[in-house]
Amino acid sequence: MPELSEITYSHDTTVHAFRDYFRFLVEIISSDFQRCFGKTDEVIALLRDIPYIREVGPYHPAHGSALCHWADWQFEAGSACRQVAGKEELSVGEALRVMSGGVVTEDVPPHVVGLTLGDRENKHFLLDTQLGIVHWPVEDGGGKHMYNFNQDPKFIKPVEDDPEDYAPENEHEWRTDPPAWAIGDFFELLKSQYRKLNWIPVNPREVITITAHYEEDLAGMVPMLQEIYRQHGWPLEQGGCLEAVKIALNERYPSFEGWD
C-alpha cells in the first residue's frame, strides 16, 4: 500500500487513467457490437477512437452538419448489445446498418461504415476504410459539390474514379452516383460550408442550410442570419453570435421553431 506522501497529482496521468478505463469498457462490448453490426476489425477500431457529439437526454445529438445527426457509435454499441439479449442479432445489426447507410445497405461491404444515424430524412455519408474515401450521395446534397460552377479557386475536387475498376459489380450502382472525396478533403469541404455561411448554426443544437425550403413568413431569415455572423467577424467569430441570433429570431421570426 503506497504512502500518501508518495502520491502526487498529475493532470496528464489522470486523463490517461480515465481514457484507459473507458477504452477498456468499450473493448468489453465491442466484440458483441462487431458481431451484430457486421463490420471489419478496422471499422470497429476506428469507431472506438474517433470523437462523437454526445446525445443529451431524450434528444438526438446536435447537428454535426446541416440538418444532419451524426452517429455516436460508442453509445450505439452499448445500446445494440443491450438489445441483442432480447432480439435476434440480425435484426439489431440490420437496423443500425439501414439507419447509417440508407437505401444501399445490402450492397455496402463490411469495410464501409456510415457516419450518420437517423431516419430517411437524415443525410448519409459512407466512409471506406480500404480506399480512404467518403461518399456523399447526390440525393443528400453531395451532387452540389461535384463541379466548380462558380470557378471557386478554393474548390475541393472529388475523386476521379470508375467503380468498375476496383469494386465488385453489386457495388457499382451506389458507388457510381455519389461523388467521393479523400477523407481529409471531405471534412475540409464540410468546414467550407460553414465558412461560406451555406450552413448556419441557429442555436447550440441545430444547423440550417441556405438551400432548404422555408415558408413565406420566414423569407429574409437566412440573409439576416448571415449578416449577423458577418457582423461578428465570421469566420473568426468573436463570441456572442448565437445569443444575437437567438434575439433576432425571437424578434423577427418567432414562428421559426427549427427542425430538431
Side-chain angles (χ1 to χ4, degrees), residues 71-92:
D72 177 351
W73 283 121
Q74 291 187 5
F75 171 84
E76 297 300 335
S79 176
C81 291
R82 288 192 296 273
Q83 294 179 59
V84 164
K87 298 181 179 180
E88 292 290 334
E89 290 182 12
L90 178 61
S91 65
V92 177

Side-chain angles (χ1 to χ4, degrees), residues 49-225:
D49 290 340
I50 60 177
Y52 296 99
I53 301 173
R54 297 301 185 191
E55 296 193 24
V56 180
Y59 304 103
H60 288 296
H63 287 155
S65 51
L67 305 178
C68 181
H69 300 291
W70 285 54
D72 177 351
W73 283 121
Q74 291 187 5
F75 171 84
E76 297 300 335
S79 176
C81 291
R82 288 192 296 273
Q83 294 179 59
V84 164
K87 298 181 179 180
E88 292 290 334
E89 290 182 12
L90 178 61
S91 65
V92 177
E94 186 66 17
L96 290 172
R97 289 190 290 273
V98 169
M99 293 171 71
S100 66
V103 297
V104 297
T105 303
E106 292 183 359
D107 295 322
V108 174
H111 60 269
V112 175
V113 63
L115 302 181
T116 65
L117 193 68
D119 58 24
R120 67 179 62 185
E121 299 300 325
N122 205 52
K123 312 301 181 186
H124 297 94
F125 307 127
L126 299 172
L127 186 149
D128 190 320
T129 61
Q130 285 190 356
L131 299 176
I133 59 177
V134 180
H135 287 276
W136 184 350
V138 170
E139 63 270 20
D140 286 336
K144 299 172 184 175
H145 308 287
M146 294 175 64
Y147 308 105
N148 190 9
F149 293 114
N150 298 321
Q151 299 301 309
D152 182 355
K154 297 182 179 180
F155 177 72
I156 301 174
K157 295 181 180 180
V159 176
E160 295 181 3
D161 71 325
D162 184 347
E164 294 186 7
D165 294 336
Y166 61 84
E169 185 175 354
N170 66 310
E171 297 177 20
H172 290 175
E173 182 176 354
W174 74 262
R175 286 188 185 272
T176 299
D177 290 336
W181 286 262
I183 293 173
D185 287 346
F186 170 75
F187 284 103
E188 286 301 318
L189 176 59
L190 299 191
K191 288 191 288 186
S192 74
Q193 302 311 298
Y194 286 100
R195 292 177 178 134
K196 296 175 182 178
L197 291 174
N198 293 334
W199 294 351
I200 309 171
V202 292
N203 58 49
R205 293 184 49 78
E206 294 185 271
V207 180
I208 67 171
T209 172
I210 62 173
T211 58
H213 173 73
Y214 299 97
E215 300 296 334
E216 187 175 344
D217 61 344
L218 297 179
M221 182 183 70
V222 167
M224 178 198 74
L225 295 172

